[in-house]
Structures are given as structure tokens and as C-alpha cells.
């Protein structure tokens, strides 16, 4: 595995989870597996496989535990599953999952819509998950949604984001990913969020998760890099959205993130050819034009030369 150093940026690929959870027609388990196997050839070292949530709520993520169990093993790649409660954690543990993620928000209304409880109640559920994870040596990542705007409440106070982030970290999450869920943020507002969080926590335990609804994700990531953040979530072919954030589009594409980082001299461990192949394959499966500017420029250049 590549050893992280100051110039290394870790990319957490969330396409198979965040990307596919919003598809109108759920992909089959074979199609979901094919995407992950493609991603395994790209040099990515962290891949979110799916979610152990209610299939009534998110049918696209049904049987994520089965998918996990069916993946080829690779000691260089960390696979993870989202687990909002103990029931989800137990499903993940039963298939040998070594990393899970719990998720809440800096907005009460969003938390209620997303996981059917208040922020405080979400922490009660996470306490059970964290205790079981500790007993079984499973790593836990935390997510905070709505770090800038909430689709139901509007602007969110950065202090509230910092508080929820700190709570997740104090509870035992090794890293907390800050989700700009609806993609409305601009770099000035993102800066204020990082300033609030960095007053409490080290940048090494924080990650950025930017959706690209208004085309601001790369600008927001640049701002985050300036603030010292070195872990970012992204989605191959810019897939995704959240079922409980209407109109929110996909994450920043892994392809555009790769371009930004490599041109700025950061190492990512990504193998470009394999990344572009994975991106082309999933776009074909979904019969969709890839929103990544870099992917489109790449294929045009390939055709010309
Ligand atoms: P609930 O209805 O409050 O749960 O759902 P409950 O405890 O009352 O149980 C109701 C039923 O759900 C029971 O089944 C449980 O067994 C079952 P029944 O007796 O009716 O047959 N159940 C479960 N089944 C499977 N897996 C589980 C589970 N837990 C209970 N883990 C729950 C609570 C959290 C399950 C529900 O609200 C849910 O599944 N929500 C979906 C949340 C989700 O996946 N959201 C999208 C991911 S978050 C995101 O996208 C944001 C992020 O990307 C960052 C960003 O961009 O901001 C991370
Ligand atoms: Mg997301």
C-alpha cells in the first residue's frame, strides 16, 4: 500500500454507494460487483461498497452485505459499508467487514428524513455501533451531512457542524467526512466550516465530501486543500446524490479530482488508464453521459491522437 505522506491525498471512492444509491433502476448485484472490480484495478485504496440500511428505504443498496461477501479480496484495498445502527453493523460484521461508516447531519430535519431520528438519537444508535466495532476491531468512519446548507432548513451554522464532527470523533470515529450534501456551497463558506472544525480537531482526522450540483465541488476541494485537508470522497463518473436531498446531483467525479490533484503535484496512487476504463464502463452500463470534464477531454484527446 502507498505510504501516505504530506504530499499524498487519499481518495475514498464512494461511487458504488453514494453513486448508485440514487439510481432510478437499481443495478443488479453482478453490475455493482463489476463496477467495484473495475475500481480495484485503479489504485484506489478505499472503496465504499454499499449500505446496510433498510431495503424499504433505499432499495438500490439491498443486499450490500452479500455483495461485500462476493468481492475478491485484496489486502491493499479497504472496503467499507454504511451502518446507521447495530442491525446494519451486525450484517456487515457477519460478512467480515473491517470498516463501517455511521452517518448523521448538522441539521435536525435532514437527520430525521435520512435516518428517521434526531441528531441525539443518532448518537445513541452509534454508541452501540462503536462499542460493537471496538470489541470486533472494526474501524469506524463518521459522516456529517449538510455542512453548509440543508435542503429543509437552509444555512447551517459552522459551529453546529464542528460540534457534531467533534462528537463523532470523540466517540471513536477515526476520521470524519464532512458532507456538502446538496452542492450549493461556495469556497468562502466552506472555508468557514473548516475554520470552525480545525479550531477543535486536527486536519488529519477530517475528510471532504463534496457534491457537484452547482459545479462548485472542485473549487470547494481547492479551498479544502488550502486548509490542509488531505482526504476527499469522490464518485467515479460523478455518479450519485442522496435520496433524501431532492435535486442534489452526484459527488465530484473521481476523474476531475484526479486531474486537480495530479496537476497540483499531489500523489494519489491512481492508475489513469484503469480509472478511465472504469469510468467508461459504468457510464455505458447506465447509458449516461459522463459529467466529468476531464473524462470527456481525455476521451476526445485519445480519439484525435
Ligand atoms: P427505521 O424505520 O426508523 O428503523 O429506519 P426501525 O429501527 O424502526 O426498524 C424498522 C424496520 O427497518 C424493521 O424491519 C427493522 O428490522 C428494519 P420490519 O420489522 O419493519 O420488517 N431495519 C433495518 N433493515 C436493514 N438494515 C438496517 C435496519 N435497521 C432497521 N440497518 C433506518 C431507520 C436508518 C434503517 C432507515 O431510516 C434507513 O434505512 N435509512 C436510509 C438511510 C440512507 O441510506 N441514506 C443515504 C445514505 S446517507 C448519504 O447519502 C449522505 C452522505 O453521502 C454524506 C453527504 O453527502 O452528506 C453519507
Ligand atoms: Mg453524499
Amino acid at each position: 500500500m502507498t505510504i501516505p505522506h504530506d504530499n499524498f491525498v487519499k481518495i475514498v471512492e464512494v461511487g458504488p454507494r453514494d453513486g448508485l444509491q440514487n439510481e432510478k433502476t437499481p443495478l443488479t448485484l453482478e453490475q455493482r460487483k463489476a463496477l467495484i472490480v473495475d475500481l480495484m484495478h485503479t489504485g484506489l485504496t478505499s472503496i465504499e461498497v454499499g449500505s446496510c440500511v433498510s431495503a424499504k428505504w433505499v432499495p438500490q443498496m439491498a443486499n450490500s452485505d452479500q455483495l461485500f461477501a462476493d468481492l475478491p479480496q485484496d489486502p491493499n484495498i479497504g472496503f467499507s459499508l454504511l451502518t446507521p445502527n447495530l442491525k446494519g453493523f451486525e450484517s456487515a460484521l457477519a460478512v467480515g467487514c473491517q470498516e463501517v461508516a455511521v452517518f448523521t447531519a448538522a441539521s435536525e430535519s435532514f437527520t430525521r428524513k435520512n435516518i428517521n431520528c434526531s441528531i441525539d438519537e443518532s448518537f445513541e444508535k452509534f454508541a452501540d455501533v462503536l462499542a460493537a466495532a471496538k470489541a470486533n476491531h472494526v474501524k469506524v468512519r463518521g459522516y456529517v451531512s449538510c455542512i453548509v446548507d440543508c435542503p429543509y432548513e437552509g444555512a447551517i451554522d459552522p459551529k453546529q457542524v464542528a460540534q457534531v464532527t467533534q462528537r463523532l470523533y470523540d466517540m471513536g470515529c477515526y476520521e470524519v467526512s464532512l458532507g456538502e450534501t446538496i452542492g450549493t456551497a461556495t469556497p468562502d463558506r466552506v472555508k468557514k466550516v473548516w475554520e470552525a472544525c480545525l479550531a477543535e480537531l486536527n486536519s488529519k482526522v477530517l475528510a471532504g465530501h463534496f457534491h457537484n450540483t452547482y459545479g462548485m465541488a472542485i473549487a470547494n476541494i481547492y479551498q479544502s486543500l488550502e486548509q490542509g485537508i488531505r482526504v476527499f470522497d469522490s464518485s467515479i463518473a460523478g455518479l450519485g446524490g442522496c435520496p433524501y436531498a431532492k435535486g442534489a446531483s452526484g459527488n465530484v467525479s473521481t476523474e476531475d479530482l484526479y486531474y486537480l490533484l495530479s496537476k497540483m503535484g499531489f500523489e494519489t496512487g491512481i492508475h489513469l488508464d484503469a480509472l478511465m476504463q472504469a469510468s467508461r464502463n459504468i457510464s455505458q452500463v447506465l447509458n449516461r453521459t459522463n459529467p466529468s470534464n476531464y473524462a470527456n477531454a481525455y476521451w476526445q484527446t485519445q480519439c484525435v491522437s
Side-chain angles (χ1 to χ4, degrees), residues 102-234:
V102 292
F103 50 103
T104 187
S107 146
E108 284 294 350
S109 313
F110 184 84
T111 309
R112 178 73 60 192
K113 293 269 187 198
N114 194 31
I115 51 176
N116 203 24
C117 61
S118 68
I119 298 173
D120 279 347
E121 285 162 353
S122 75
F123 276 93
E124 283 165 27
K125 290 170 204 257
F126 300 164
D128 295 340
V129 173
L130 266 296
K134 194 172 180 195
N136 290 284
H137 311 289
V138 172
K139 284 167 76 178
V140 184
R141 192 174 199 237
Y143 272 112
V144 182
S145 285
C146 303
I147 60 158
V148 171
D149 285 323
C150 165
Y152 312 103
E153 291 182 13
I156 298 294
D157 184 348
K159 283 197 214 96
Q160 167 74 358
V161 179
Q163 247 174 42
V164 176
T165 304
Q166 173 96 57
R167 264 176 100 175
L168 283 169
Y169 182 72
D170 289 349
M171 190 171 230
C173 293
Y174 78 92
E175 181 174 284
V176 183
S177 176
L178 270 58
E180 208 282 274
T181 315
I182 57 174
T184 49
T186 43
D188 51 331
R189 299 178 72 200
V190 167
K191 185 177 183 198
K192 288 189 178 125
V193 174
W194 288 129
E195 281 170 353
C197 291
L198 290 167
E200 313 294 334
L201 289 162
N202 192 299
S203 60
K204 286 189 169 61
V205 303
L206 298 170
H209 177 109
F210 292 96
H211 284 263
N212 199 34
T213 319
Y214 288 86
M216 290 291 112
I218 285 290
N220 290 331
I221 289 170
Y222 182 82
Q223 172 65 266
S224 309
L225 285 164
E226 293 263 290
Q227 302 304 314
I229 305 303
R230 292 292 181 269
V231 182
F232 295 98
D233 304 348
S234 65

